[in-house]
Amino acid sequence: QVQLVESGGGLVQAGGSLRLSCAASESIFSINAMGWYRQAPGKQRELVAAITSGGSTNYADSVKGRFTISRDNAKNTVYLQMNSLKPEETAVYYCNADVQHHSGGVYYEYWGQGTQVTVSS
């Protein structure tokens, strides 16, 4: 069973920065897309940024130019650098990954447990 372990959340003032990390545990042959989502209280979970195994990225319009997603395939880890944070971006941030357990196998989607990001005004 794959576990995605997130870290790097916390409390930051508006305009500040945080860097989130998400590392996948063992039992992995390969990982296709990895991404970050967020869910604020009373709102639906939304995509923040995603990255393919080849490095192609996709961002929500609201974070373009401020957030950067990257990954280290050797470490099965994805990062999210968040700059110029806004109070309305307070949410639980979740890591997501499409994992293949063995060669030729199907990909399964996994989620992390979430990490709280709080941006104070």
Side-chain angles (χ1 to χ4, degrees):
Q1 182 74 11
V2 173
Q3 286 188 326
L4 301 179
V5 181
E6 298 136 335
S7 60
L11 174 64
V12 64
Q13 289 187 334
S17 299
L18 283 174
R19 188 187 192 220
L20 305 183
S21 299
C22 171
S25 64
E26 303 174 354
S27 304
I28 293 171
F29 176 75
S30 70
I31 302 178
N32 191 9
M34 302 184 80
W36 289 95
Y37 289 71
R38 64 189 178 192
Q39 187 167 21
K43 295 187 177 182
Q44 289 188 332
R45 190 173 297 188
E46 62 175 358
L47 174 68
V48 177
I51 185 168
T52 68
S53 58
S56 296
T57 58
N58 180 41
Y59 295 93
D61 288 342
S62 61
V63 307
K64 287 180 180 177
R66 299 185 297 117
F67 289 15
T68 302
I69 189 171
S70 60
R71 63 189 284 174
D72 184 334
N73 292 330
K75 296 182 179 180
N76 292 329
T77 300
V78 63
Y79 306 96
L80 184 67
Q81 177 66 43
M82 306 184 292
N83 298 327
S84 302
L85 282 160
K86 304 174 182 180
E88 55 265 37
E89 294 179 312
T90 294
V92 177
Y93 284 69
Y94 296 91
C95 174
N96 173 276
D98 292 329
V99 174
Q100 187 184 39
H101 291 284
H102 55 82
S103 178
V106 298
Y107 282 88
Y108 294 92
E109 183 181 46
Y110 290 93
W111 291 89
Q113 80 286 355
T115 185
Q116 177 70 44
V117 171
T118 302
V119 186
S120 64
S121 57

